[in-house]
Amino acid sequence: MKRVAVLSVHTSPLEQPGTGDAGGMNVYIVQTATRMAALGVEVEIFTRATASGLAPVVEMAPGIKVRHVVAGPFEGLGKEELPGQLCAFTAGVLRAEARHEPGYYDAIHSHYWLSGQVGWLARERWGVPLVHTAHTLAKVKNAALADGDAPEPRMRVIGEEQVVEEADRLVANTDVEAAELVKLYDAAPEKVLTIPPGVDLERFTPGDRGAARAALGLRPDQVALAFVGRIQPLKAPDVLLRAAAELLVRDPSLRSRLVVLVVGGPSGSGLEQPRALQLLAEELGIGDVVRFLPPLAGDALAGLYRAADVVAVPSYNESFGLVALEAQACGTPVVAAAVGGLPVAVRHGVSGCLVNGHDPAEWARVLGHVALDPGRREELAGNAVAHARRFSWERTTDTLLAAYSDARNAFQREVHR
Ligand code: UDP
């Protein structure tokens, strides 16, 4: 495996995750590309140009190029408008490849269905296999919508079905997602591979918890509950706020000690009301308890995880939940909704707790059970580190590279038949 074309139409690996369309998928692409480059596999990532000043090609790191493809206006184009730009994007991808000798790329890895559509055509033209990761699936998402959230359109469902049919390999984060691909999308089971994502175990370490808390101005006696991620109804940060309000009703003396940290920026349907969560905090009478922080990067993010007593992941749907792994790697127990990949990311009763449903009273009970009982918290925190260490981007990358090679061999056998 010499060189891989990675397709990431709707979001760039150069963007800061945790706001807008940038999230776990960006982290996945950057982390696996970094490891592939370290192993001598060149990675070229195609993404849509979203500003006129962007260089056509940016060297993100040695061995990793980001190619900005012009497809539609640079700014002001929503994700829902991107299907109309797929022809232009594909033309840009094919044009870039045409400048090289045949066989320049050994495999294509597309991320999210929009990229899968582009990869489908590139596969046909280049004669190399297409490996696809969906990241989220419309049929799964539509079955677990947040209140008032619009369902994903039929266009996406059809587009996903086509990609499932055309891709040589489908990468699922968990066995549950693999089963969904087979059951809901009729994927051929032999094409589907479960490859768990990883966590950066050098960045996300238990570190100095006291220093991390001091850096955020947290007193030793304060109890900090944190939400980290894109702020949108599907991620349900409102459930954490409602649960915090409930904790205060149960024990008003907590008011001087409770802090809720919300880290991230508006995204998806959350962009329609970017201040909805601040307004909710006021409405619930906990405006003084909740602290909103912009998206954090690198060590600041690791510090935030370390400082928190508990990280909550109340999502309605989560194909994996990298935040849960990162928090645990920092030695912080996670209370997560028992949906999607979260039961894999969190070991219930061992490294954190899973909650069925989104009833704030139940969330308050479980959050309180972990955050307000230091003995219990310490026990979970120790196990959380051990649990997170079972995942690593090195392992994810090795398995992905094996999948590319395997797909390539099968593809060539097919061609020569
Ligand atoms: N993230 C970040 N800064 C923030 C909030 C989130 O870098 O302020 C990153 C976080 O570290 C994680 C990713 O965004 O790696 C979110 O991934 P996750 O799987 O939890 O959710 P997704 O965004 O894929 O829905």
Side-chain angles (χ1 to χ4, degrees):
M1 197 60 38
K2 232 172 43 248
R3 194 175 293 109
V4 181
V6 172
L7 306 178
S8 177
V9 173
H10 78 281
T11 175
S12 166
L14 300 173
E15 277 166 38
Q16 166 63 50
T19 188
D21 288 329
M25 183 180 126
N26 305 60
V27 172
Y28 189 112
I29 291 174
V30 170
Q31 293 290 338
T32 53
T34 304
R35 268 80 187 171
M36 282 180 201
L39 293 170
V41 178
E42 282 178 40
V43 182
E44 298 202 358
I45 307 168
F46 293 82
T47 191
R48 202 179 76 85
T50 52
S52 58
L54 287 172
V57 183
V58 173
E59 182 163 1
M60 198 174 99
I64 309 175
K65 286 195 182 97
V66 176
R67 292 188 177 275
H68 290 118
V69 178
V70 177
F74 295 118
E75 276 153 43
L77 209 59
K79 190 174 165 191
E80 66 292 348
E81 292 173 288
L82 292 182
Q85 297 305 323
L86 289 182
C87 183
F89 191 93
T90 308
V93 171
L94 297 184
R95 200 173 295 139
E97 193 267 350
R99 293 197 199 105
H100 302 287
E101 74 280 11
Y104 187 68
Y105 299 110
D106 296 307
I108 307 163
H109 191 166
S110 56
H111 294 268
Y112 194 66
W113 77 277
L114 294 168
S115 303
Q117 291 273 317
V118 178
W120 172 8
L121 194 58
R123 170 192 187 274
E124 301 282 322
R125 282 291 299 268
W126 302 347
V128 296
L130 172 65
V131 177
H132 179 72
T133 306
H135 292 277
T136 66
L137 292 165
K139 288 185 191 179
V140 176
K141 201 169 166 187
N142 286 349
L145 289 174
D147 245 7
D149 231 359
E152 290 296 313
R154 217 164 78 90
M155 171 178 58
R156 173 173 170 189
V157 172
I158 296 168
E160 287 180 341
E161 286 170 345
Q162 291 165 327
V163 175
V164 164
E165 174 73 27
E166 298 297 331
D168 296 274
R169 294 288 182 278
L170 297 160
V171 176
N173 283 326
T174 62
D175 289 337
V176 169
E177 192 187 344
E180 286 164 350
L181 280 163
V182 173
K183 193 157 169 263
L184 304 176
Y185 285 85
D186 215 15
E190 63 277 12
K191 289 200 323 195
V192 185
L193 306 166
T194 298
I195 304 181
V199 56
D200 183 343
L201 293 169
E202 277 167 30
R203 164 144 297 146
F204 299 111
T205 62
D208 184 342
R209 183 154 191 257
R213 285 175 71 89
L216 284 165
L218 292 171
R219 299 189 312 267
D221 69 317
Q222 277 180 310
V223 177
L225 311 178
F227 169 91
V228 176
R230 296 177 291 144
I231 297 179
Q232 53 171 277
L234 187 78
K235 294 267 177 193
D238 59 300
V239 171
L240 174 60
L241 266 55
R242 291 180 206 281
E246 178 73 28
L247 279 173
L248 293 178
V249 170
R250 289 180 193 186
D251 179 2
S253 73
L254 255 185
R255 180 165 284 273
S256 58
R257 296 201 293 134
L258 189 66
V259 181
V260 177
L261 302 163
V262 177
V263 183
S267 166
S269 59
L271 283 163
E272 288 154 28
Q273 290 168 301
R275 285 190 47 78
L277 214 54
Q278 279 90 337
L279 296 175
L280 178 68
E282 296 300 332
E283 243 171 64
L284 292 169
I286 55 168
D288 55 330
V289 168
V290 187
R291 275 168 54 185
F292 291 92
L293 300 170
L296 299 176
D299 291 342
L301 182 59
L304 184 290
Y305 287 134
R306 282 177 201 132
D309 289 280
V310 175
V311 167
V313 186
S315 314
Y316 286 95
N317 175 37
E318 199 68 68
S319 75
F320 192 80
L322 295 182
V323 159
L325 275 192
E326 293 163 3
Q328 292 171 95
C330 290
T332 300
V334 173
V335 173
V339 298
L342 287 169
V344 176
V346 178
R347 273 191 75 192
H348 179 59
V350 177
S351 68
C353 291
L354 297 167
V355 181
N356 287 312
H358 294 84
D359 174 17
E362 178 61 5
W363 275 80
R365 188 185 70 75
V366 180
L367 285 166
H369 181 58
V370 179
L372 303 175
D373 177 345
R376 176 86 182 129
R377 188 198 173 275
E378 282 322 300
E379 187 192 333
L380 295 173
N383 299 337
V385 178
H387 178 61
R389 283 188 191 284
R390 296 176 53 231
F391 298 82
S392 79
W393 288 118
E394 283 76 9
R395 202 164 312 141
T396 307
T397 305
D398 290 347
T399 324
L400 274 181
L401 286 172
Y404 298 165
S405 294
D406 177 50
R408 192 156 170 260
N409 294 339
F411 193 98
Q412 283 170 349
R413 275 199 303 276
E414 192 66 27
V415 170
H416 291 124
R417 213 193 267 169

